[in-house]
Amino acid sequence: MTLEEKLGQLQQLDGTAEGEYRPEHVELARRGRLGSTLNVRGARRTTELQRVAVEESRLRIPLLFAFDVIHGYRTVFPVPLAEAASWDVRLVERNAAIAAAEAASAGVRWTFAPMVDIARDPRWGRIVEGSGEDPLLGAEMARARVRGFQGPDYGLPGKVVACAKHWVAYGAAEGGRDYNTTDVSERTLREIYFPPFKAAVDAGVGTFMSAFNDLNGLPTSANPHTLTDVLRQEWKFDGIVVSDYTSVQELVAHGLAADGREAAALALRAGVDMEMVSRLFNEHGPALVSQGRIPMAAIDEAVRRVLRIKFRLGLFDNPYASEAEENETLLRAEHLAAARQAAARSVVLLKNQAGVLPLSRSLKSIAVIGPLADDAQSLLGSWSGDGRKEEVVTLLAGLRARNIAGLRIHYAKGCEVDGESRAGFDEAVRAAKKASFVILAVGESAAMSGEAASRSSLDLPGRQLELVQAVHATGKPYAVVLMNGRPLSINWLATNAPAILETWFGGTQAGHAIADVLFGDVNPGGKLPVTFPRSVGQVPLYYNHKPTGRPPEAGNKYTSKYLDVPWTPLYPFGYGLSYTEFTLSNLRLSAARVPPGGQVTARVDVQNTGRLPGDEVVQLYIRRAAVSVTRPVKELRGFERITLQPGEMRTVEFALGPEQLGFYDHAMKFVVEPGVVDIMAGSSSETTLSTRLEIVPDNQ
Ligand code: GLC
């Protein structure tokens, strides 16, 4: 390979938003100066460009077509935060497998997913793309998505190579402001931000994406510690690291690189293999090599990694997609059914006063009110893949589609999501007064969520709360259906609304799924993957916080709390109700004492004490105290979602060994220290059962 052809493999360029390749891509492909594209998609388009690379270039190296298939390709699943709320790793793996099958049929063989950034700040719009605040839930979701996208071998038909992103700690942006500075201790990196990435590596993820953020003084796209020391040397990752969009160029804006040439040198030397969109590797590579600022060996290693993934994908043998297969794969009935099930299993029941839900089938009239009741685009969420709003089932459409005999449905938008006008209130109140039950669909638009969508407030935008209050004043029974991409400080709703369903952005089949839950075809079993604060002023507020030397204490002024809001969350991590009731009991251990390297099994009995079948997510937490470093008040160490019939009891068990009981000591060595471990179980992070394990030194 010439140096130019090598550098060509390290170049990824952007197609159009609609999926077209650009005219310059053809000539670059012909000259072997293009390795990959993003956004180019569709069997016809990708095959056209691929033929140029494979049949007209000197080395006939196939292109690698990438796309952000974050929660679905054409069949759009609930946003990742919603999928995490299902706590159902098998469901999430299946969703990713369907997304991969659709993407691969369209010629896309690389997805820029899973996004595995831990997020503790709901002001950050990209909290919607990840799995929330907890490293274990995040790791299990990362593992499931990598397995779903890649299968046992991503060279198999219908599989794509996945991408763990954004490496690393992008979600720790100060102020929750996207792209902002992050300053994170090595311990917090290793205990909070690394685990989902390590889970992705352990699941065989083929690629990583370096991030935008400055991390402890070194931008993550030029950070040798994370890109080489940890990823390559410690974790033995041998895949591709692609930069995020122009993040190599942005090293100049960060004030790290004096110019583009230095930015290219810094990124390549740190361990970025492929440059997304900016072209500094290609522009400056020859000079950097001739000046000895980049060893040819570094270029060769980056090219080797790119070719390795292309070989593993089978692109040299099967570079083309088929339109016939694409037409047969997209939007299959079983894909839509899976999306409907996923959206329903992601719903979290936040409140259900006096059993307002599920709705009776004998209802005569329902008013569906709110700016999100018929907003198809928002239901696709951010990163909607190739999803089309005209294919989305809105809440209004989902309710109408049930064709319940004798049920009249009135609709009124009421107001805009973030408009200031109350002009639609009268119509909404009239609709409510005509109905025997009201469903209020409020929340955020998809544009308020995702990348470059940080909010300084967590309140319902616009006049939506006033709309709810106007309907509340009619005295009609109602349920609030939230559609949003982040925790919201919905204090008034939590106090006054009879029922609240958190439905997130539920994807192509959201309307059917929410209707299934409202009418009880599906008993909601989701749990919050992220804490809901009472006020944005409490942020960051997360369950696995440290105790401090002055834990908050009512009546004691000089403890860690606020004057103007309770220190507790509005809804805690892991919280969610059901249409039935569950009782957890009899938490016990297979042994009361273990040596530091030992393992113990924790068991807890769960019974459905209500009258409907339902799902419970049993959660196991630990706490360590009196050890060599301070530890969080609680850490999730196991969870399982189970379905129980009325009256049924089952025992759930969790293995606790060094991986669950250890932590990094002051010297950043992973240790299992002797001492007492509090072990707790519950149906949320506000656990109800506890017991103790003693870790005894080996010589005792
Ligand atoms: C964006 C995002 C990243 C995405 C990439 C390509 O800026 O940060 O998540 O994969 O660019 O679209």
Side-chain angles (χ1 to χ4, degrees):
M1 294 175 80
T2 66
L3 177 56
E4 286 66 24
E5 287 166 331
K6 291 177 183 176
L7 293 170
Q9 287 304 307
L10 309 187
Q11 182 69 68
Q12 181 181 71
L13 293 178
D14 196 359
T16 68
E18 295 70 32
E20 295 286 356
Y21 55 82
R22 300 178 193 277
E24 71 158 331
H25 297 164
V26 179
E27 187 49 30
L28 289 169
R30 185 172 289 117
R31 289 166 44 214
R33 303 298 298 274
L34 180 62
S36 171
T37 66
L38 68 147
N39 289 321
V40 177
R41 59 192 183 276
R44 177 182 56 77
R45 295 170 184 142
T46 55
T47 297
E48 281 171 3
L49 188 58
Q50 189 71 291
R51 284 203 188 286
V52 174
V54 168
E55 298 172 18
E56 300 178 29
S57 74
R58 187 176 79 88
L59 296 175
R60 310 165 70 82
I61 299 173
L63 297 168
L64 178 45
F65 295 102
F67 186 44
D68 292 280
V69 185
I70 311 298
H71 52 103
Y73 177 76
R74 182 71 175 273
T75 301
V76 178
F77 289 91
V79 291
L81 190 64
E83 287 186 315
S86 74
W87 296 57
D88 183 343
V89 291
R90 281 182 297 279
L91 176 98
V92 170
E93 178 174 344
R94 185 216 48 198
N95 296 351
I98 290 170
E102 292 197 350
S105 77
V108 170
R109 297 300 311 279
W110 183 9
T111 178
F112 293 142
M115 186 273 213
V116 300
D117 301 307
I118 294 292
R120 293 172 147 177
D121 190 329
R123 292 172 292 182
W124 189 51
R126 303 197 78 165
I127 193 170
V128 73
E129 287 177 62
S131 298
E133 68 192 48
D134 179 73
L136 176 67
L137 183 59
E140 291 307 317
M141 290 294 155
R143 200 187 321 276
R145 290 187 174 114
V146 169
R147 286 179 175 154
F149 286 129
Q150 298 190 163
D153 170 359
Y154 47 81
L156 293 171
K159 294 301 174 187
V160 300
V161 66
C163 180
K165 73 183 188 183
H166 306 79
W167 180 243
V168 62
Y170 178 29
E174 284 182 1
R177 199 168 79 238
D178 207 357
Y179 316 119
N180 202 6
T181 306
T182 63
D183 201 296
V184 186
S185 72
E186 187 73 11
R187 173 191 317 287
T188 301
L189 281 175
R190 288 187 176 277
E191 293 190 348
I192 301 296
Y193 293 96
F194 282 8
F197 287 95
K198 183 62 170 55
V201 169
D202 294 346
V205 73
T207 72
F208 262 55
M209 182 184 293
S210 65
F212 292 121
N213 53 297
D214 177 345
L215 173 63
N216 303 339
L218 270 181
T220 48
S221 292
N223 191 313
H225 173 59
T226 53
L227 289 168
T228 297
D229 301 345
V230 176
L231 191 54
R232 303 290 183 184
Q233 289 164 2
E234 232 181 280
W235 294 357
K236 310 301 179 206
F237 174 69
D238 73 351
I240 301 172
V241 172
V242 63
S243 72
D244 200 343
Y245 207 98
T246 68
S247 60
V248 173
Q249 174 69 49
E250 293 167 21
L251 297 176
V252 178
H254 274 291
L256 188 76
D259 54 29
R261 176 167 301 183
E262 188 180 5
L266 288 169
L268 263 167
R269 277 207 308 264
V272 172
D273 302 309
M274 183 182 278
E275 184 178 7
M276 185 191 294
V277 174
S278 53
R279 306 184 192 206
L280 302 172
F281 288 10
N282 272 269
E283 272 172 50
H284 301 290
L288 289 168
V289 170
S290 62
Q291 292 161 5
R293 291 177 60 191
I294 291 285
M296 181 62 85
I299 303 255
D300 289 347
E301 181 53 32
V303 174
R304 199 172 290 117
R305 291 165 181 161
V306 172
L307 295 179
R308 181 181 296 140
I309 297 301
K310 291 184 173 182
F311 273 109
R312 287 176 179 167
L313 275 164
L315 284 178
F316 286 89
D317 301 321
N318 301 297
Y320 305 125
S322 136
E323 286 185 78
E325 185 189 332
E326 179 184 41
N327 294 332
E328 193 278 325
T329 306
L330 302 186
L331 291 173
R332 273 186 187 147
E334 61 265 35
H335 296 179
L336 295 173
R340 177 169 180 164
Q341 184 198 33
R345 288 180 71 79
S346 301
V347 171
V348 181
L349 179 60
L350 297 178
K351 185 178 180 185
N352 190 22
Q353 191 173 295
V356 160
L357 295 177
L359 298 177
S360 159
R361 284 171 175 67
S362 61
L363 270 176
K364 293 301 173 213
S365 59
I366 292 178
V368 185
I369 296 171
L372 290 160
D374 203 31
D375 178 347
Q377 188 59 52
S378 285
L379 287 175
L380 289 173
S382 68
W383 298 109
S384 53
D386 209 46
R388 318 256 163 105
K389 67 177 185 179
E390 53 273 13
E391 293 162 357
V392 171
V393 178
T394 65
L395 174 57
L396 181 62
L399 288 165
R400 284 178 169 155
R402 299 182 74 83
N403 292 320
I404 295 174
L407 173 63
R408 293 199 57 203
I409 294 178
H410 311 286
Y411 166 63
K413 188 173 183 178
C415 65
E416 297 304 324
V417 172
D418 56 358
E420 291 309 304
S421 166
R422 301 183 184 83
F425 279 27
D426 289 349
E427 182 197 14
V429 168
R430 282 196 300 275
K433 287 179 174 173
K434 282 191 285 189
S436 41
F437 192 87
V438 183
I439 296 168
L440 274 152
V442 294
E444 298 177 310
S445 67
M448 296 175 174
S449 181
E451 183 172 357
S454 298
R455 291 183 62 208
S456 67
S457 162
L458 301 176
D459 293 339
L460 281 175
R463 299 285 180 202
Q464 295 182 90
L465 177 56
E466 291 175 47
L467 176 67
V468 175
Q469 291 167 335
V471 169
H472 180 91
T474 67
K476 292 285 184 176
Y478 66 95
V480 172
V481 171
L482 286 176
M483 297 172 175
N484 48 298
R486 58 164 53 83
L488 297 176
S489 43
I490 48 170
N491 298 285
W492 189 90
L493 295 183
T495 303
N496 297 286
I500 306 171
L501 281 178
E502 173 56 82
T503 70
W504 317 102
F505 295 123
T508 307
Q509 293 285 294
H512 287 322
I514 300 168
D516 290 343
V517 171
L518 284 167
F519 280 95
D521 296 351
V522 173
N523 184 350
K527 302 281 183 178
L528 294 180
V530 63
T531 300
F532 273 46
R534 299 170 188 277
S535 158
V536 70
Q538 292 177 290
V539 171
L541 184 72
Y542 45 88
Y543 88 92
N544 50 352
H545 61 83
K546 295 294 188 69
T548 79
R550 296 196 175 189
E553 187 185 321
N556 181 345
K557 175 178 174 56
Y558 299 95
T559 59
S560 180
K561 59 186 186 301
Y562 298 97
L563 292 175
D564 54 354
V565 68
W567 69 82
T568 53
L570 181 60
Y571 297 112
F573 173 79
Y575 170 84
L577 301 176
S578 170
Y579 292 154
T580 187
E581 288 79 38
F582 295 96
T583 302
L584 273 62
S585 61
N586 193 14
L587 171 62
R588 67 271 190 198
L589 303 176
S590 57
R593 296 155 55 99
V594 290
Q599 176 146 327
V600 68
T601 300
R603 292 182 175 86
V604 61
D605 297 337
V606 192
Q607 184 173 24
N608 179 344
T609 49
R611 53 180 185 75
L612 291 171
D615 284 17
E616 178 59 289
V617 179
V618 185
Q619 300 158 47
L620 191 83
Y621 296 83
I622 68 166
R623 176 177 186 185
R624 303 266 2 227
V627 286
S628 64
V629 289
T630 58
R631 304 300 305 149
V633 296
K634 210 164 271 186
E635 296 177 271
L636 181 70
R637 283 294 179 269
F639 61 88
E640 185 173 349
R641 178 167 177 161
I642 59 173
T643 301
L644 294 176
Q645 297 305 314
E648 183 183 3
M649 177 184 279
R650 198 181 304 170
T651 300
V652 179
E653 56 183 57
F654 302 96
L656 292 173
E659 186 186 342
Q660 290 72 36
L661 300 170
F663 51 81
Y664 287 92
D665 68 10
H666 202 66
M668 289 310 298
K669 180 170 172 288
F670 193 80
V671 296
V672 180
E673 290 185 359
V676 171
V677 185
D678 287 323
I679 295 173
M680 300 154 278
S683 55
S684 85
S685 57
E686 293 185 349
T687 50
T688 51
L689 301 174
S690 69
T691 185
R692 284 195 152 185
L693 171 70
E694 190 176 1
I695 298 174
V696 293
D698 282 321
N699 55 6
Q700 282 188 16

